[in-house]
Every structure is written in structure tokens, then in C-alpha cells.
Amino acid sequence: MKREIWINLPVKDITASKKFFSSIGFFRLHPAHEHNDHMGAIQAGDNNVMVMLFPEKVFESFTQTGISDTKQFAEALFSFTAVNKEEVDEMAKNVKHAGGTVFAEPGEKDGWMYGCGFADPDGHRWNMLYMDMSKMPK
């Protein structure tokens, strides 16, 4: 069995979360969990990083703790790359259309990065970045 990392996230509504992530275009529903209504699995990027979506009560049973209040606090920032600036712009547009919140509009950072930050419907924070490595400070 190959080694993988799975990101596990609590969600209020499995169906709505799967719809959101498949709508924004970077994530694909894992076929084994596509019609599952008690958990979800989405694959991210070219390496198929797995993001598992669990109802909040199930997630709490795994972690044996409460869930972060994502309206007040960030639990983490999940970052992923874009192939160009246009992909970042498209992601921001897709997130808004799918019901997410863009908390950092697309823009330049430090002269070599271009990105945007958004929150999914459950408040988990994501960051998409295009990095022009030829402009990265030495």
C-alpha cells in the first residue's frame, strides 16, 4: 500500500460540501464516496491528495475534542498551487459562485506570488497561489 496523507475535515452538511468542492473545479469527488451520504472524499491536485469530509459528530469521535469555531478562529490554512494567475482569478470567481467566501481577493504578494484566500461553507480556510519562481528573492 502506498503512503498517503488524508486531510480530515468536519462539515455540517456532507451533500452541500461535496457540491461546493466539486463546483470550484480544483477538487474531484472520489468515485468510491460519490453517492455516500455519511462521509465524503474529494481528491485535490495532480497528486490526488485526499480530503475526507465527515459530519461534525463523527469527526469529534475521531479527534475526541470539540470542533474549532471557524467563524472566530482559523484552524489551519490549506494551500495549493495554481498554474497561472488566471487560474487564481477563476478560482475566486468559482468560490463566490459556489457559496464560499473570498477573504483575500486575488492579488500580488512580495513581487513573485499571486494568490487568493477563501473559506468553504464550513469556514475552513484555503489559499491558492501562483508562484513565479524566476522572481523569487534569492
Side-chain angles (χ1 to χ4, degrees):
M1 179 177 203
K2 72 178 183 176
R3 293 178 189 232
E4 299 176 322
I5 289 182
W6 299 351
I7 298 169
N8 299 295
L9 295 175
V11 298
K12 290 177 181 19
D13 182 330
I14 293 290
T15 303
S17 293
K18 290 194 297 190
K19 182 178 179 185
F20 171 80
F21 284 108
S22 61
S23 294
I24 64 173
F26 186 80
F27 300 90
R28 297 166 310 287
L29 294 177
H30 189 284
H33 302 284
E34 193 169 357
H35 302 291
N36 191 329
D37 61 0
H38 65 277
M39 68 178 285
I42 53 177
Q43 296 172 290
D46 297 331
N47 293 325
N48 294 320
V49 171
M50 193 74 75
V51 179
M52 303 298 294
L53 307 171
F54 292 100
E56 290 177 340
K57 291 293 181 200
V58 174
F59 185 85
E60 285 176 331
S61 73
F62 295 154
T63 63
Q64 299 183 14
T65 65
I67 295 172
S68 298
D69 180 352
T70 56
K71 289 185 181 3
Q72 294 189 40
F73 306 102
E75 64 196 337
L77 178 62
F78 304 104
S79 297
F80 55 99
T81 59
V83 295
N84 54 42
K85 292 178 180 181
E86 293 76 22
E87 187 178 18
V88 173
D89 294 339
E90 185 71 18
M91 177 60 68
K93 185 178 92 179
N94 290 346
V95 164
K96 290 175 186 176
H97 182 73
T101 303
V102 174
F103 62 82
E105 290 290 337
E108 293 283 339
K109 175 96 170 119
D110 298 331
W112 65 282
M113 292 184 286
Y114 185 86
C116 74
F118 67 90
D120 65 35
D122 288 286
H124 307 295
R125 290 182 171 247
W126 302 83
N127 182 40
M128 183 180 222
L129 287 172
Y130 166 70
M131 296 176 281
D132 185 342
M133 301 309 275
S134 70
K135 294 180 181 178
M136 185 175 142
K138 302 277 186 254

